[in-house]
Amino acid sequence: MSRQRDAPGPAESAVGDGTADGGSPYAASSPSEVAAMLEAVGVDSVEELFDIPEGVRFDGQFDVEGASEQAVIRRLERTLGANDDLTEFLGRGRYAHYVPSVVDTLSLRSEFITSYTQYQPEVAQGFLQALFEYQSMLVELTGLGVANCSMYDAATALGEAALLAARVRSVDGSRVLVPDYVREERRDVLENYVSGTDLSVVSFPTANGQVDPVALDSTLSEDAVAVYAENPTVEGVVEEHLHRVGELAEEYGALFCLGSDPVALSLLQSPAAVGADVVVGDASVLGVGPAYGTSLGMFACDEAYLRQVPGRLVGCSEDSDGARAYTLTLQTREQHIRKERATSNICTNQAWVALRTAIHAASLGPSGLVGLAERCHRLPERVASEFDEIPGVSAPVHDGFHFREFAARVERDASALAADLRADGFAVHVRDEDEIQVCVTDANEHRTDDLVRSVAEAMA
Amino acid sequence: MTDRYEQAVWDDGESDGYEPLLTEKSLARAETDNSDLPDRLTRDALEFPAPSEPELVRHYTRLSQMNYGVDSGPFPLGSCTMKYNPKFTEDVAAMSEAAVHPDRSPATVQGTLTVYHELGEYLAQIGGMDAVSLQPPAGAAGEFAGILVARAYHEHNGDGDSRDEVIVPASAHGTNFASAAMAGYEVVELPAADDGRVDLDALRAATGDSTAALMLTNPNTLGLFERDIEAVADIVHDAGGLLYYDGANLNALLGRARPGDMGFDVMHFNVHKTFATPHGGGGPGAGPIGVSETLAPFLPTPQVRAVDGEYELREPEHSIGKVHGAMGNWLVLLKAHAYISRLGDAGLRDTSAKAVLNANYLAEQIDLEIPFGPFHHEFVASAGETDAAEFAKRMLDYGVHPPTTKWPEIVDEALMTEPTEAESRASLDSLAAAFAAASEAGDSTAPERTAAGRIDQTSAARNPRLSWHDLDP
Amino acid sequence: MAFDVPDGLRYAESHEWIERRDDRFRVGITDFAQDELGDIVFVDLPAEGETVTAEAAFGVVESIKAVSDLYTPVTGTVVTTNDRLSSEPELVNEEPFGDGWLVELTSDDDLEHLLGPEGYRAQI
C-alpha cells in the first residue's frame, strides 16, 4: 500500500546549515551549537538518531519552497485580496459586532497566547482566573449554575448536550427533538455526535418562525431525551414560547436545551427562568468576528448535571499560603483519566477565544451589553420596515419580534436579486426562490441606507 | 542560572486571592426596561463587572504576568510539541480580508478557498495522503472524524455492524479511547511488548472480523519508532481493518517518513503541535484529517475543489457529513498555512532534525533513567524514588515548565519530555539543571517562586466552586 | 506499608470488603484501595431498592486522579446507602471499614467464595 510521492530533486540533509539556507528560522541552535550537541550525544550526524526502517523512509521533497516572512505575507495578502470586498449583511448563526482594540491588545499578550492547558496551575493563575471569570459570566447570563470554559462551536456544543441528556436522563429514551428551522449544518453535526449511540434526531414543526407548542406536544413522548429550541432563532425571530417548551420538556422528562449567545442573553428571557436545563451556542459573537467560522462553543447547564458536564472546568480553591487560587477541576470526567468512559473526547478547546469573549464582555459592562442587545432588536425592526416600503418586497416574513436579522419575501428570483446586490457590494442570505435573510448589527449599520437603496433599485 | 526565577504575583491584600476578580473591582447593574421588547420577553436586569478601560487593561495585564507560556521559557510537555509560535502568523490572521463570513458564496471568497486548497495539498504531501479535510477543529475532533470515516467505509462495504471494535495501545492518548467510544466502538486495549512497541503477537490475537481500526501514534508516546509498522499494517489490513495515525508526534518525522507510506489509511494532524500555531491556554487548535484515495469519498463536507480554474465547494460522494458547524478553525488553519509556506521543504526537514537532536542532547544531560529507546523527539524518563507530580512541582521553581507526568504508565513515575527544535543549547542546559535540582531536593513545599503556591486539588473537587456566584460574599 | 485488614470481614479481589450484620451485608472498599485512589472526592452509589449482581459494577468512586468502579461481592438488593458520603467523601479515606462504608444489601449468597483476611493480605 505504498503511496510514496516521488518528487524531483535529491533529498537534502538540512542539519548543520542552521538558519542560513533552508533551515527552520524557528529552530534556535546555531551550527556550532549543533556540532557541540552532536558530539555530546556521540554521533556524527543527526541522521544516526533516526530509527526509521529503510522501507518507510521518505526520500522525496515536498513541493513547498520556503520563503522569507516578507514574501509569505505579501503572497497571502495577494491571495486573500482575491476575496471580494463586500459589506456583509450575513448572520444565521455567525454574527459580527465591533470588537474593541483592547481585546487584541490583551489577548495577544504572549503569556496568554503561547501558554498551554493549565496542567500546572501554580504558573497559570492568569489564564485560569480569566477562564473562571468567563465561566462566571455565562452563569450570570444563563442563570444556570455551571458553565465550562469552552467547546468548539455551537453545533458541536449541541451535540455534546444531546449526549449529556442521554447520560443523565433517568428513563431510557432515544429521540432528540429539534425545531424544523435549525440550520442544516448544525443538525448534521448533531447527527454525527449521536451516531455512536441509539439516539436519533427528529424535527418538530414550527409556526411563524417559532415553536408551535401544540405541534411540539404531539411530537414529544416519553422517548424524548432532549428538546432543543433557539432564542433568537437562526432566522432572527425572538421566541415567545420558551416557558411552554420548558413545561413540556419537564412533563415528558426531556432535557430542555436552549441555543443562544451572550449578547442575546443580556436582554432576552433568562434560560433558567424558562426552565432550560442546558444552554449552548456560539459565544464568539463577542471577541471574534465571523472569522470564516472560527467559533466558541458555549455550554452551561444546571448544577444537577455537574458530573456529566463535558469539557474543562476551572474551579476555585486555596494554595499552600491559604490564598484563593484557581485550578482545572473534576478532571476525572475527562478523556485523559476516564478514557473511553469520559463525558467527551474533547481536549484542545477554544480557550483563547473564551479569553477574548470575556475581555470584550467586560469592556462593554452590563449597560454596554444590554445596549448592544437593544440595538440588535431595533436595527432589524427598522430595516425590515424600510424593506417593506419597497414595492415587491414584504418584510419581515415572520410576525413577531426580531433580533439582529429578518427574512424578506421578494417578487423576484431571490438568487438574481442577491447577485445584483453583490454587484453593488452587499452580501445577503438567499433562503428560498423568493426569500432572502438580512442581518443588521452595529458592524454594518452604517451601510443600511445604501443597502435599502440598492434593494429598491434591484426590485424596480 | 536558574536560581533567580521568580514569577510575578499581584496580591492586593484586600481580596482573598491574588489579583481580584473583575466583580470585586467593580460590579454594576443594568436594567432592561428601556428596550422596545415587551417585559415578558426580556430578563429583569443584568449584573456584571463594569471596569473602566484602564482598569480592565491593568486587570488582564496583571493576570498575564501570572501566566507562563512558551515565550516565557521552556515548555517540554511530551506529545504537545510546545514550539515557538511565529509572530508574523498573528499579523496574517489579522488581515481584514481573512475575516469573511462562512456563508459567503464561494465565488466571492476565492482567496480564502485558495488558502484552504493549498493547505490541504501541503498536508497531503507531508502526510503521504491523497485527500485532506481541514474541518475538524482539534486533534480529538480529527480522531472522531477519522473514525467516522472508517466506520462509513465499513458500512459501505457491508460489514459496518460486525466490525465493532477499535484497537488502541495502552500507552495511547486518552482522546483515542474517547473518540472511538464516541463513534460507538468497543475499545480493545493493546498492551505493549517488552521493548515498548506494539506486540505483534498480541496484535494478531486482537485483530479479526470485528476490527474496524487500529489507532497508533508513531513514534509512539515513548518516542520510539514502530520498526515493524509495515508488519502492523499488514496484520490490520489482512483482517480487513483500517490503520489510523494519531499525528501528535509528527514533528519527529517531518520530511523523513510519512504515515501514508507506512500503510496508514487515515490520519489526523495536530496543527497546533507540528505546525506551530499557538496553544492559547488550551486552544483553539485544528485537527485536519488525511485519507487514502479509497477513503476520500467519505470525507466531511464540503471539500474545496478546483473546477475550471475556480475553487468550489463540493460534497464528497459518500460524505460522513459535518463535524463542525462551518469550515473548522479557519484562523488557526491560516496560521498553519503561513508557517508551512515560511519553512518550506527544507525548513520542515530541519525541524525534525533539530527536534530529535534536542531531545537526545537533553537526555544526555539529565541523570534520570530513560528505560526505553532509541527515542526521537521525546523521551520518557523516570523520576525514580520521587513521585513524578512532586518532581514537576519542584521544577517550576527553576523557571521551566515541567514535562508531562505519569504517562505513559509503562514507565514508573514517568516524565514525558519533548523540548522541540525551538530550544537553544543554553536553554536545554538550563532545563537539565532544573531536572537536576528537582532530583536533589527532598520532599518540599514546592513550588515557592511561582505566583501561587501548591494548590489544593482535593478541596477544589470536593467542593466545586465554578463561578464567582459560588464564592462567599 | 502495612494496610489495615480487619478480621471478621471477607474480601473481594477487586478490593471491596463485605460484612454480615444481622439480616444484611455491609460493603465498602479496603484501606489498600483508598490509599491507591488518593483523596476521594466523589462516590456514586446505586439507589435504594436497586438489585445488584455479583462481580458487576454497581457504582463509582472518584479521586482527583482516578476513577474506580465498585464491584459488589454478592448478588442482592440495596437496602441503604451511606448518605454521609455525598458531603463527606473523605470518610472513605479516613475510615474505610467504619464510617466510610458504602452500601448495605440483602442477599441470599454466602461468602465462602470470597477471600478471608489472610488471603486478601497475601494478595496486597
Side-chain angles (χ1 to χ4, degrees):
Chain A
M1 278 200 119
S2 167
R3 274 182 302 286
Q4 178 114 354
R5 242 173 241 269
D6 287 319
E12 281 175 31
S13 163
V15 181
D17 289 330
T19 61
D21 50 309
S24 165
Y26 312 116
S29 297
S30 69
S32 61
E33 285 172 330
V34 167
M37 288 198 285
L38 286 169
E39 197 181 315
V41 173
V43 295
D44 292 323
S45 96
V46 84
E47 307 304 324
E48 294 172 54
L49 297 174
F50 283 93
D51 183 35
I52 301 175
E54 191 67 54
V56 295
R57 281 214 201 124
F58 174 68
D59 291 321
Q61 277 191 322
F62 300 134
D63 190 14
V64 196
E65 238 181 80
S68 69
E69 181 176 304
Q70 188 177 31
V72 175
I73 288 179
R74 195 181 298 138
R75 201 192 307 152
L76 276 168
E77 274 171 347
R78 202 169 53 235
T79 304
L80 291 172
N83 285 348
D84 294 345
D85 186 14
L86 303 178
T87 303
E88 297 174 339
F89 285 87
L90 299 172
R92 291 188 57 74
R94 297 284 311 144
Y95 303 103
H97 292 296
Y98 175 71
V99 180
S101 300
V102 280
V103 174
D104 268 349
T105 312
L106 295 170
S107 68
L108 287 168
R109 288 184 69 88
S110 74
E111 298 92 332
F112 282 139
I113 196 171
T114 72
S115 70
Y116 190 62
T117 307
Q118 303 79 18
Y119 290 129
Q120 297 292 349
E122 293 84 6
V123 293
Q125 286 301 292
F127 219 119
L128 284 166
Q129 180 168 337
L131 291 175
F132 183 83
E133 291 173 336
Y134 165 78
Q135 287 173 185
S136 302
M137 291 174 178
L138 293 189
V139 166
E140 177 61 36
L141 289 165
T142 61
L144 300 177
V146 178
N148 71 21
C149 73
S150 75
M151 313 231 81
Y152 311 130
D153 73 339
T156 55
L158 176 58
E160 296 277 11
L163 294 176
L164 177 137
R167 283 195 299 272
V168 305
R169 206 169 163 282
S170 52
V171 178
D172 277 334
S174 67
R175 296 189 310 148
V176 178
L177 268 53
V178 302
D180 56 17
Y181 58 60
V182 153
R183 267 195 85 132
E184 196 188 319
E185 293 87 347
R186 191 164 294 194
R187 189 191 165 126
D188 198 333
V189 173
L190 171 61
E191 289 187 353
N192 268 326
Y193 262 69
V194 303
S195 67
T197 69
D198 293 331
L199 298 176
S200 61
V201 180
V202 166
S203 252
F204 63 86
T206 56
N208 192 29
Q210 297 182 44
V211 169
D212 175 350
V214 172
L216 175 58
D217 193 349
S218 61
T219 317
L220 269 169
S221 68
E222 297 281 298
D223 200 28
V225 300
V227 181
Y228 173 68
E230 294 176 350
N231 190 31
T233 72
V234 66
E235 296 174 316
V237 175
V238 174
E239 178 58 68
E240 303 192 38
H241 302 100
L242 291 177
H243 270 293
R244 202 59 198 111
V245 176
E247 283 165 5
L248 285 168
E250 169 130 11
E251 199 181 307
Y252 288 94
L255 251 61
F256 175 13
C257 179
L258 181 66
S260 189
D261 70 81
V263 177
L265 291 170
S266 301
L267 178 64
L268 303 181
Q269 284 176 284
S270 156
V274 298
D277 299 296
V278 185
V279 174
V280 297
D282 181 8
S284 75
V285 296
L286 292 176
V288 175
Y292 207 61
T294 312
S295 299
L296 167 57
M298 175 173 73
F299 193 102
C301 70
D302 192 287
E303 263 140 0
Y305 313 123
L306 173 58
R307 299 211 120 74
Q308 292 300 328
V309 168
R312 296 184 185 135
L313 290 170
V314 178
C316 190
S317 183
E318 277 186 4
D319 74 356
S320 51
D321 293 323
R324 184 179 67 201
Y326 306 94
T327 183
L328 293 177
T329 191
L330 301 178
Q331 292 187 63
T332 49
R333 297 162 302 117
E334 297 185 66
Q335 43 73 33
H336 54 295
I337 295 175
R338 221 160 186 145
K339 295 187 171 182
E340 64 264 38
R341 291 164 55 191
T343 53
S344 166
N345 72 341
I346 191 167
C347 183
T348 294
N349 53 21
Q350 307 287 110
W352 186 73
V353 185
L355 170 65
R356 292 177 65 95
T357 300
I359 295 170
H360 191 169
S363 93
L364 287 171
S367 53
L369 286 164
V370 173
L372 177 59
E374 285 169 348
R375 260 165 104 187
C376 286
H377 165 57
R378 291 194 186 108
L379 281 170
E381 300 279 357
R382 169 172 71 76
V383 177
S385 68
E386 287 171 12
F387 267 51
D388 203 48
E389 299 289 304
I390 300 169
V393 179
S394 156
V397 165
H398 303 110
D399 268 329
F401 303 98
H402 291 78
F403 197 90
R404 291 194 187 101
E405 48 199 337
F406 64 93
R409 190 151 291 125
V410 295
E411 286 165 20
R412 232 202 106 177
D413 178 61
S415 298
L417 170 62
D420 285 348
L421 293 176
R422 206 150 50 227
D424 281 349
F426 301 110
V428 301
H429 294 284
V430 172
R431 294 292 296 133
D432 218 332
E433 285 158 8
D434 64 349
E435 196 175 301
I436 60 171
Q437 184 167 332
V438 174
C439 177
V440 191
T441 70
D442 59 305
N444 55 19
E445 178 187 5
H446 61 297
R447 304 267 354 252
T448 53
D449 288 346
D450 293 336
L451 173 68
V452 171
R453 196 174 309 122
S454 196
V455 172
E457 278 167 18
M459 291 302 298
Chain B
M1 214 186 10
T2 52
D3 250 316
R4 287 186 292 139
Y5 174 70
E6 195 89 36
Q7 190 178 35
V9 57
W10 287 96
D11 185 343
D12 80 345
E14 282 186 13
S15 65
D16 283 341
Y18 298 110
E19 170 63 11
L21 287 164
L22 283 168
T23 40
E24 289 170 329
K25 295 178 135 179
S26 73
L27 189 60
R29 191 180 161 88
E31 304 297 324
T32 61
D33 36 16
N34 241 351
S35 89
D36 292 346
L37 285 165
D39 283 345
R40 64 188 164 86
L41 295 181
T42 62
R43 61 186 296 141
D44 290 332
L46 181 66
E47 205 171 75
F48 219 78
S52 68
E53 185 165 319
E55 286 179 308
L56 177 73
V57 171
R58 285 227 176 109
H59 178 72
Y60 283 98
T61 300
R62 291 175 181 190
L63 290 183
S64 77
Q65 289 167 344
M66 298 193 289
N67 217 65
Y68 184 99
V70 164
D71 283 4
S72 312
F75 219 121
L77 285 173
S79 277
C80 291
T81 315
M82 293 295 288
K83 63 168 78 182
Y84 173 71
N85 312 126
K87 303 316 172 198
F88 87 97
T89 65
E90 298 305 330
D91 290 337
V92 165
M95 288 177 187
S96 55
E97 304 90 329
V100 291
H101 192 283
D103 289 337
R104 286 280 293 269
S105 61
T108 70
V109 290
Q110 289 294 297
T112 299
L113 297 184
T114 304
V115 171
Y116 258 89
H117 196 259
E118 281 179 3
L119 179 60
E121 302 265 273
Y122 290 164
L123 293 179
Q125 286 188 65
I126 290 167
M129 292 290 166
D130 295 314
V132 168
S133 167
L134 304 177
Q135 197 175 119
E143 291 170 13
F144 183 57
I147 293 297
L148 288 185
V149 163
R151 191 180 72 190
Y153 166 82
H154 290 307
E155 278 167 6
H156 188 75
N157 289 347
D159 52 4
D161 284 340
S162 54
R163 294 192 180 276
D164 58 0
E165 288 177 358
V166 167
I167 306 170
V168 179
S171 60
H173 195 286
T175 53
N176 288 183
F177 298 85
S179 302
M182 265 175 79
Y185 285 102
E186 284 295 308
V187 177
V188 174
E189 196 170 298
L190 191 69
D194 290 337
D195 70 350
R197 294 180 185 77
V198 168
D199 180 335
L200 291 179
D201 289 328
L203 181 62
R204 271 183 209 102
T207 47
D209 292 336
S210 302
T211 305
L214 164 67
M215 299 177 80
L216 278 191
T217 314
N218 192 19
N220 64 20
T221 52
L222 291 164
L224 313 176
F225 193 90
E226 295 284 355
R227 294 166 176 150
D228 293 324
I229 188 61
E230 289 178 294
V232 168
D234 285 341
I235 293 169
V236 174
H237 291 142
D238 285 346
L242 294 172
L243 196 53
Y244 182 98
Y245 181 79
D246 178 330
N249 289 335
L250 190 60
N251 208 44
L253 300 183
L254 290 172
R256 296 170 193 280
R258 307 186 308 169
D261 300 333
M262 297 174 209
F264 286 94
D265 305 291
V266 49
M267 67 176 288
H268 81 263
F269 302 84
N270 293 85
V271 141
H272 45 294
K273 297 184 181 190
T274 320
F275 303 106
T277 67
H279 282 79
I289 56 172
V291 296
S292 65
E293 204 172 314
T294 320
L295 298 180
F298 304 98
L299 282 176
T301 191
Q303 283 291 90
V304 177
R305 300 258 169 88
V307 181
D308 296 331
E310 246 206 22
Y311 290 108
E312 295 186 2
L313 299 179
R314 291 277 199 232
E315 180 167 335
E317 199 186 336
H318 304 296
S319 172
I320 57 169
K322 296 189 70 61
V323 295
H324 183 266
M327 300 280 280
N329 274 332
W330 155 245
L331 292 178
V332 176
L333 296 167
L334 178 54
K335 291 181 196 179
H337 180 285
Y339 176 78
I340 295 171
S341 304
R342 175 88 174 88
L343 259 57
D345 172 72
L348 291 170
R349 191 161 311 120
D350 188 44
T351 295
S352 58
K354 298 232 171 88
V356 170
L357 177 58
N358 278 2
N360 277 270
Y361 174 75
L362 178 62
E364 203 55 43
Q365 304 303 109
I366 69 176
D367 236 335
L368 301 175
E369 196 207 340
I370 300 170
F372 294 95
F375 48 83
H376 292 78
H377 66 309
E378 71 185 2
F379 60 86
V380 183
S382 172
E385 298 284 294
T386 313
D387 176 74
E390 168 71 34
F391 194 95
K393 296 302 178 196
R394 297 175 193 168
M395 287 182 77
L396 289 172
D397 280 335
Y398 294 90
V400 305
H401 193 284
T404 305
T405 61
K406 307 261 195 175
W407 174 54
E409 290 161 4
I410 194 176
V411 174
D412 272 338
E413 306 307 336
L415 296 166
M416 191 206 287
T417 309
E418 180 187 356
T420 84
E421 72 279 8
E423 300 306 317
S424 67
R425 187 190 171 189
S427 171
L428 294 173
D429 287 342
S430 73
L431 200 39
F435 271 91
S439 291
E440 276 147 42
D443 258 352
S444 64
T445 49
E448 283 166 358
R449 297 190 277 200
T450 52
R454 195 171 312 195
I455 293 172
D456 184 354
Q457 299 295 334
T458 304
S459 110
R462 282 188 183 153
N463 303 302
R465 291 179 294 158
L466 306 172
S467 76
W468 57 52
H469 301 82
D470 291 338
L471 303 180
D472 294 327
Chain C
M1 181 173 168
F3 293 107
D4 201 16
V5 183
D7 293 326
L9 305 179
R10 302 289 274 199
Y11 298 86
E13 280 179 18
S14 49
H15 307 290
E16 290 84 12
W17 56 263
I18 183 165
E19 181 190 15
R20 190 188 296 273
R21 295 173 142 245
D22 300 322
D23 64 333
R24 55 187 63 179
F25 295 97
R26 182 175 276 193
V27 175
I29 63 168
T30 64
D31 185 31
F32 174 83
Q34 69 78 22
D35 182 71
E36 279 283 292
L37 284 164
D39 288 343
I40 287 166
V41 303
F42 183 71
V43 185
D44 192 15
L45 297 172
E48 289 170 18
E50 238 180 80
T51 51
V52 293
T53 315
E55 287 171 31
F58 71 90
V60 168
V61 62
E62 284 181 28
S63 66
I64 314 164
K65 56 175 186 170
V67 177
S68 202
D69 282 326
L70 298 165
Y71 297 97
T72 170
V74 297
T75 299
T77 308
V78 176
V79 176
T80 62
T81 59
N82 188 346
D83 289 334
R84 289 180 70 188
L85 296 184
S86 56
S87 53
E88 299 172 85
E90 60 270 23
L91 285 174
V92 182
N93 295 115
E94 290 161 9
E95 298 180 43
F97 300 105
D99 285 340
W101 63 274
L102 300 174
V103 296
E104 288 185 340
L105 323 161
T106 52
S107 172
D108 294 328
D109 286 0
D110 64 54
L111 307 181
E112 299 310 307
H113 59 290
L114 298 168
L115 297 168
E118 291 311 314
Y120 182 67
R121 222 174 261 124
Q123 189 193 296
I124 61 176

